[in-house]
Amino acid sequence: MEVTGALTPFNSPIVKLERLFDSSEIELFAKLDSLQLSGSTKERTAESLITAFLETGELKPGGMVVESTSGNLGISLARQCIVRDINFVAVVDENANKSALDIMRAYGATVDLVMDPPDGNRLAARRKRVAQLLSENPGAVTTNQYGSARNPEAHYSTTMPEIMEAMGGDLDMLFVATSTTGTILGCQKYVREHQLKTKLIAVDALGSVLFGGQSAERRLPGLGAGIVPDLSLEVQPDEVFRIPEIEMVRGCRLLAKREGILAGASTGAIVAAMGKMLPDIPQGSRVAFLVHDSGVPYLHTVYNDEWVQKTLGESPQSANLSELEVCAGR
């Protein structure tokens, strides 16, 4: 097996969407990072983080990586580690996507579950457990996705250049879901250094503390944060949308129904944010967004009426597409 080729993220396709919204006034494009080898844009992040440690010699084959993760990064790190003969421990909480945990285990990862803390701050509890495991395993490293400069570097050097090349250098607006904020920070750096006109729209979860948000219970992992990551202090989006989880569900279902793209909760949030912003987007604008991950791990949550009713307190009927379809013009 040629390891080098297996580690490099491929240039995911960008497709033009004609059916999502009933508006001929804008051109809408989706970058399908759900087709990355591990199923999400975190493949880029994981590759960059692991490569940095290998280059400095801090990590060698046979070593150990410990990381706090809610799902996608854990899957990507597990894949990156297994092809480099590195042990990986994923520190997760009770809110983690169960299908994602199964995928991590399939890649050979050890899953370390942190029970919900009394204060409800799952992220802080996971990070505390990471610190404990590092002290117990000399030589182990954590990739620190919340603070490592190699997180945004992955998107500065791959994601944004790929988007601009596919768009012929002409893009008015890019919607990006935020958690560690590494993706949007890397895109921001590229936009500024190349003096692009592209506006960056951050899509966050209602209940996330990013960008001055108020902390509240969140049930869907992968979007938002319970602490303010160091990387986020450098992010200056042109606009921020905070999306309730039921609207993420509607966004996912609308994208599947209209375009046949099965995506995860963070992408559903982007669809909801675009629906809200659509009336204010200037005619003729070229708009793109990242399909951050596949919807397959969300089949038992986002796409399951019973889960929506029980967990989000919404009936399957009210979780249907009606509100977004009004925004979409149908």
Side-chain angles (χ1 to χ4, degrees):
M1 177 180 180
E2 175 54 53
V3 173
T4 301
L7 299 180
T8 305
F10 62 85
N11 189 339
S12 59
I14 288 186
V15 296
K16 187 173 183 179
L17 305 186
E18 304 280 4
R19 293 170 46 84
L20 186 59
F21 298 116
D22 276 351
S23 173
S24 59
E25 297 181 351
I26 67 168
E27 292 184 280
L28 183 61
F29 301 85
K31 183 166 180 61
L32 304 180
D33 256 17
S34 53
L35 299 180
Q36 292 290 347
L37 285 170
S38 56
S40 80
T41 196
K42 293 293 188 179
E43 179 76 11
R44 302 172 187 270
T45 307
E47 193 276 338
S48 181
L49 293 170
I50 295 295
T51 297
F53 278 111
L54 291 173
E55 289 175 347
T56 62
E58 295 176 80
L59 181 64
K60 294 180 174 64
M64 177 184 289
V65 169
V66 182
E67 181 59 282
S68 162
T69 174
S70 61
N72 284 330
L73 184 72
I75 293 172
S76 298
L77 284 172
R79 198 196 77 78
Q80 287 286 330
C81 285
I82 199 67
V83 297
R84 305 191 200 217
D85 297 322
I86 295 166
N87 299 303
F88 175 55
V89 179
V91 178
V92 305
D93 59 49
E94 292 181 271
N95 209 35
N97 186 300
K98 302 302 185 292
S99 296
L101 301 186
D102 288 341
I103 297 171
M104 291 181 215
R105 293 188 182 101
Y107 278 130
T110 297
V111 175
D112 189 292
L113 177 64
V114 174
M115 304 305 288
D116 283 352
D119 64 1
N121 194 328
R122 299 184 181 96
L123 178 54
R126 295 201 315 259
R127 296 182 77 177
K128 182 178 179 180
R129 176 58 176 161
V130 168
Q132 180 183 350
L133 287 171
L134 291 176
S135 67
E136 294 173 354
N137 295 275
V141 301
T142 182
T143 49
N144 184 23
Q145 62 166 325
Y146 303 99
S148 173
R150 291 299 291 260
N151 182 346
E153 175 62 28
H155 304 285
Y156 168 80
S157 61
T158 67
T159 307
M160 199 65 197
E162 289 173 16
I163 290 172
M164 296 312 298
E165 180 180 4
M167 299 298 299
D170 183 12
L171 180 62
D172 296 295
M173 194 175 295
L174 177 66
F175 284 76
V176 181
T178 55
S179 53
T180 67
T181 67
T183 304
I184 194 168
L185 180 57
C187 293
Q188 173 183 292
K189 180 182 176 183
Y190 188 92
V191 166
R192 291 184 174 180
E193 286 194 5
H194 292 81
Q195 299 182 333
L196 302 178
K197 65 178 180 179
T198 308
K199 291 185 177 180
L200 296 175
I201 312 301
V203 180
D204 191 20
L206 189 66
S208 163
V209 300
L210 293 173
F211 313 117
Q214 297 297 309
S215 178
E217 174 71 6
R218 292 177 289 118
R219 279 66 55 94
L220 288 169
L223 184 67
I227 64 168
V228 178
D230 293 340
L231 296 176
S232 71
L233 302 177
E234 303 176 54
V235 180
Q236 297 175 322
D238 293 283
E239 192 153 358
V240 177
F241 281 88
R242 305 185 196 284
I243 305 299
E245 289 176 318
I246 189 60
E247 293 186 19
M248 299 178 199
V249 170
R250 294 186 180 115
C252 285
R253 295 182 177 201
L254 186 70
L255 186 62
K257 176 182 177 182
R258 296 281 183 84
E259 298 287 354
I261 296 174
L262 199 68
S266 59
T267 305
I270 289 176
V271 173
M274 290 190 298
K276 293 174 182 295
M277 193 173 182
L278 193 63
D280 299 318
I281 298 177
Q283 182 176 350
S285 294
R286 288 163 62 83
V287 178
F289 68 98
L290 278 169
V291 177
H292 286 267
D293 63 348
S294 166
V296 172
Y298 299 84
L299 291 177
H300 299 295
T301 55
V302 167
Y303 297 96
N304 184 284
D305 287 346
E306 183 178 350
W307 184 91
V308 172
Q309 168 70 61
K310 179 180 178 180
T311 308
L312 302 185
E314 297 274 359
S315 70
Q317 289 74 26
S318 65
N320 283 334
L321 311 176
S322 55
E323 290 187 17
L324 261 182
E325 289 189 318
V326 170
C327 295
R330 293 188 185 181

